[in-house]
Each structure stands twice: as C-alpha cells, then as structure tokens.
Amino acid sequence: MRKTLLALLCALLLPGCAAPSEEAPAPASAPAGRMERMSSSMVESSARPLPEAEILAAYEWAQRVYGWFDRAPLPLSEESAVLSGATYYRVNMPGVEDLEDLRTYLRGVFSQELTDRLLDGSGARVRYRNVRGVLYASGEARERDAGKGEIRVEVERLAEDLYSVNVMVDLLAEDGKSVAGLESWSFPYAFIEDRWVFTDFRLVD
C-alpha cells in the first residue's frame, strides 16, 4: 500500500494532472514536506504531539481531496458511460485507475468510515464508479459560495491522540461585503490505526 500511495502522490505532482476543470480550481496543493509524510501513508508507531503547521497543512490537503467529491471531479476524459440514467466520464489521472486506487488514496487522509461514505456517494456532488474495471466519475463542478467571506482556522488539542481543527466562516449580507453572521465547524483529526486522519470533514465554502 505504501508503494501504491507513493505512486499516486508522484502522479499528482506531474504538471496539469491534479487540476480539475477551469470552472472550479482545486485548492492549493500541500507543501513538499506534507507530500513526503503522506507518501508513507502517514503511518506512525504511536501518537506524537503534532506541530500546528503540520495539522494546518493536513487540513489544506484534506480540502483538496474532499473537493474531488464536492468541488470538482478528478480530471476526466471524453470517454463516457451511462449508469442508472447518469452520464459518467472516465477519470484521467495516472495512478488512479480504479475505485480501489481512489480508496487507498483517501485512506491516507480520512478515516475508514468517512472514506466509505464518500465512495458510497451519499450526499456527494461527484460520484465515482468502476465501469469495466476502470474509474469513472459523474457530477458537475461548483463555484465557491458567494455568501461566505473570510475563513479563520484554529487548532485545538483535545487529547494525546486527538485534535480539533476549528473553522470560522463569515456569512456575508446581500451586499456581498458586510458581515451578517458567523458559521463555525469543528473537524476531528485523530490518530487511528497508526495514522493521523480526519474522521469528519466537509468544505465550508
């Protein structure tokens, strides 16, 4: 699994490979150090205190990956198939050839339960399916919510093996400038099965 994930991460570093459609650009990629940690599947022998910068980098990377299900799909080819009345397009991402490859990648970022929920497609804007053993995706890209303003992120340590990434989002008035309210979210970042993963997640914008 470690070699497989390393291959996937190397593929994502190739120019142009990781960018979804121009309609909905993906969040910025993780720093080089973060990529190196993920290449080892984030496997560790025991929980250790994490620098805040490392947790924030993990949050940024999780936004990118979750965006494949809520913001815009992975790069697609024009090859299509119709399943249950929906049109799916073949994923064009080296190293991500089928659903199992995608599952392996997700498990380096999210818990098993969250990974299963994403791949099940429950509530997801973008869905992925194997078609004749090859990965296809269906779903439209979306823009950032115009009603959301400044986003602030804080890290809170709750236990030796658990952090909370707390996100506050300004809600804008109809003029699109003045702040009319505040929305807050907390995403658990836990040490499970020898790796640090998010057990709950969503895009706040």
Side-chain angles (χ1 to χ4, degrees):
M1 178 179 294
R2 182 173 301 178
K3 292 182 178 179
T4 300
L5 187 55
L6 179 57
L8 298 183
L9 291 167
C10 288
L12 284 173
L13 288 175
L14 292 174
C17 285
S21 65
E22 294 182 357
E23 297 180 358
S29 59
R34 175 64 178 165
M35 299 290 289
E36 292 174 1
R37 284 189 291 276
M38 289 192 65
S39 68
S40 64
S41 300
M42 299 176 66
V43 174
E44 303 177 5
S45 59
S46 60
R48 61 180 174 84
L50 298 178
E52 181 174 304
E54 183 172 332
I55 300 172
L56 293 175
Y59 174 72
E60 291 178 2
W61 187 250
Q63 286 186 91
R64 179 187 179 90
V65 176
Y66 197 91
W68 297 341
F69 295 83
D70 184 55
R71 176 76 40 85
L74 286 164
L76 305 176
S77 69
E78 296 183 356
E79 186 176 342
S80 64
V82 178
L83 300 176
S84 302
T87 301
Y88 286 74
Y89 293 89
R90 182 170 181 169
V91 170
N92 183 25
M93 172 70 79
V96 186
E97 305 298 333
D98 58 24
L99 207 56
E100 193 57 36
D101 288 340
L102 183 56
R103 181 184 301 277
T104 299
Y105 194 91
L106 293 176
R107 284 294 287 115
V109 184
F110 303 123
S111 65
Q112 182 68 59
E113 293 76 13
L114 181 51
T115 294
D116 290 343
R117 190 160 72 244
L118 286 171
L119 293 179
D120 179 63
S122 301
R125 179 179 298 273
V126 180
R127 298 188 178 190
Y128 294 87
R129 296 288 183 270
N130 275 344
V131 179
R132 297 181 293 277
V134 179
L135 188 63
Y136 280 64
S138 174
E140 297 181 356
R142 74 169 178 88
E143 298 290 345
R144 184 181 184 276
D145 188 343
K148 301 292 182 65
E150 181 182 353
I151 298 175
R152 295 171 296 281
V153 183
E154 299 177 352
V155 174
E156 179 183 5
R157 190 178 187 184
L158 303 179
E160 180 179 329
D161 57 354
L162 178 63
Y163 290 84
S164 177
V165 178
N166 303 320
V167 183
M168 286 70 68
V169 187
D170 286 342
L171 302 179
L172 303 180
E174 293 184 0
D175 60 12
K177 297 179 180 180
S178 57
V179 177
L182 181 69
E183 188 175 78
S184 61
W185 301 88
S186 294
F187 302 117
Y189 191 54
F191 189 74
I192 301 175
E193 297 178 354
D194 297 330
R195 73 185 71 201
W196 288 97
V197 293
F198 284 97
T199 59
D200 189 22
F201 205 85
R202 60 160 292 167
L203 296 187
V204 300
D205 60 354

